[in-house]
Amino acid sequence: MMAVMPNQDAKMCCLKITFSFFKTNHQLMCIMIEKYLNFQLIEPSCIVSWIFSPYMLPHFDRLYLWQMLDTTIKFCIKRCDRIKVELEKSKIKLQEKKAQETSAPDPDIAETRKQMTAAAEEEVDHYVKLLEDAERSQKEVFLIVVQRFIMILSDHIMRSEQESRYTQTLWFRCTRDRLRQTLVKYRREVKRYMVTLQTLLFTPEIEHKILECFTQFKGYIA
């Protein structure tokens, strides 16, 4: 499977084909998203980019689209939590090995226990690297989600003003509420990225109808 999806374009194409195939059964589509994530066939950032792609824009008012987004975000969070648990276990194991090493009764046993300690240290390093990669991926996902919300809402406002149309449409209000809901629902994670969000995305240049979502969120978590 990985051989036929060597890059992001191929993975985006795979998601598009999968969605077309399951267009009458969106529950199965959500299951396929879980499969792609669990088997590490498609990265969470790629799935988020596809959800916010122009191809999926007509489906923005559909519940199944937001279910797929929730599935992707929750996968990132659960993966980080799972690795944290394994890292703590490996640290406890390392402490035990070190204690056993210092209490070895003779040189031969001491050497064996030293090797076991080294193996435990490698295991800790392994989980530290896994956690760093998982947390980097999670941050990337949240930044992409917020960025795409801002881009889509900003584009809607710009086109509406150019065409002298009403900006506060039902679609606009629902999409903006989805942004607000996402920030609140995952506030524990979002709080970790507040500086980055405020510096790179929610800048003063952003349309105030969008910026107020972030302002309200900051008041909510204060």
Side-chain angles (χ1 to χ4, degrees), residues 138-179:
Q138 178 175 291
K139 181 178 181 179
E140 182 183 12
V141 164
F142 275 102
L143 293 181
I144 291 175
V145 167
V146 174
Q147 180 194 48
R148 296 305 170 87
F149 265 119
I150 293 174
M151 289 173 60
I152 289 172
L153 292 168
S154 298
D155 183 64
H156 169 83
I157 293 174
M158 182 185 68
R159 286 187 292 104
S160 297
E161 291 177 346
Q162 288 175 347
E163 300 169 8
S164 300
R165 290 188 288 108
Y166 182 58
T167 59
Q168 300 275 343
T169 61
L170 178 61
W171 180 92
F172 176 84
R173 295 198 304 272
C174 288
T175 304
R176 186 181 57 182
D177 286 346
R178 285 292 182 184
L179 168 57

Side-chain angles (χ1 to χ4, degrees), residues 92-105:
I92 294 173
K93 181 179 177 181
L94 175 59
Q95 292 175 351
E96 292 173 348
K97 297 301 180 185
K98 286 182 176 180
Q100 292 173 359
E101 182 182 345
T102 56
S103 62

Side-chain angles (χ1 to χ4, degrees), residues 163-221:
E163 300 169 8
S164 300
R165 290 188 288 108
Y166 182 58
T167 59
Q168 300 275 343
T169 61
L170 178 61
W171 180 92
F172 176 84
R173 295 198 304 272
C174 288
T175 304
R176 186 181 57 182
D177 286 346
R178 285 292 182 184
L179 168 57
R180 186 181 290 112
Q181 181 186 43
T182 301
L183 293 174
V184 172
K185 184 174 183 178
Y186 300 107
R187 57 190 175 276
R188 186 191 73 172
E189 289 72 30
V190 175
K191 284 175 68 174
R192 298 167 57 188
Y193 316 131
M194 290 293 287
V195 175
T196 305
L197 290 173
Q198 188 159 354
T199 304
L200 299 180
L201 299 177
F202 288 107
T203 60
E205 293 77 21
I206 295 296
E207 168 63 42
H208 76 276
K209 297 182 183 69
I210 304 172
L211 188 58
E212 69 178 6
C213 290
F214 188 62
T215 303
Q216 291 170 357
F217 176 69
K218 287 194 296 182
Y220 177 78
I221 63 174

Side-chain angles (χ1 to χ4, degrees), residues 40-189:
Q40 300 181 24
L41 297 174
I42 302 180
E43 298 83 5
S45 59
C46 183
I47 293 176
V48 170
S49 296
W50 168 74
I51 289 174
F52 285 91
S53 67
Y55 176 77
M56 295 300 292
L57 202 56
H59 304 275
F60 250 52
D61 58 347
R62 303 296 183 181
L63 180 60
Y64 54 77
L65 185 138
W66 304 112
Q67 289 174 335
M68 290 189 289
L69 181 62
D70 276 341
T71 295
T72 306
I73 294 175
K74 287 177 181 177
F75 169 83
C76 294
I77 295 171
K78 288 179 180 178
R79 178 173 61 181
C80 286
D81 290 343
R82 184 171 63 251
I83 295 173
K84 286 177 183 177
V85 170
E86 294 302 323
L87 176 58
E88 289 305 311
K89 288 181 180 179
S90 65
K91 287 180 177 179
I92 294 173
K93 181 179 177 181
L94 175 59
Q95 292 175 351
E96 292 173 348
K97 297 301 180 185
K98 286 182 176 180
Q100 292 173 359
E101 182 182 345
T102 56
S103 62
D106 62 66
D108 290 338
I109 295 178
E111 180 61 28
T112 300
R113 291 183 177 178
K114 184 177 181 180
Q115 293 174 1
M116 294 174 67
T117 300
E121 288 175 342
E122 289 181 2
E123 186 176 280
V124 170
D125 292 340
H126 171 69
Y127 283 116
V128 167
K129 185 178 185 304
L130 281 181
L131 183 58
E132 289 175 351
D133 291 342
E135 289 182 336
R136 188 182 306 111
S137 175
Q138 178 175 291
K139 181 178 181 179
E140 182 183 12
V141 164
F142 275 102
L143 293 181
I144 291 175
V145 167
V146 174
Q147 180 194 48
R148 296 305 170 87
F149 265 119
I150 293 174
M151 289 173 60
I152 289 172
L153 292 168
S154 298
D155 183 64
H156 169 83
I157 293 174
M158 182 185 68
R159 286 187 292 104
S160 297
E161 291 177 346
Q162 288 175 347
E163 300 169 8
S164 300
R165 290 188 288 108
Y166 182 58
T167 59
Q168 300 275 343
T169 61
L170 178 61
W171 180 92
F172 176 84
R173 295 198 304 272
C174 288
T175 304
R176 186 181 57 182
D177 286 346
R178 285 292 182 184
L179 168 57
R180 186 181 290 112
Q181 181 186 43
T182 301
L183 293 174
V184 172
K185 184 174 183 178
Y186 300 107
R187 57 190 175 276
R188 186 191 73 172
E189 289 72 30

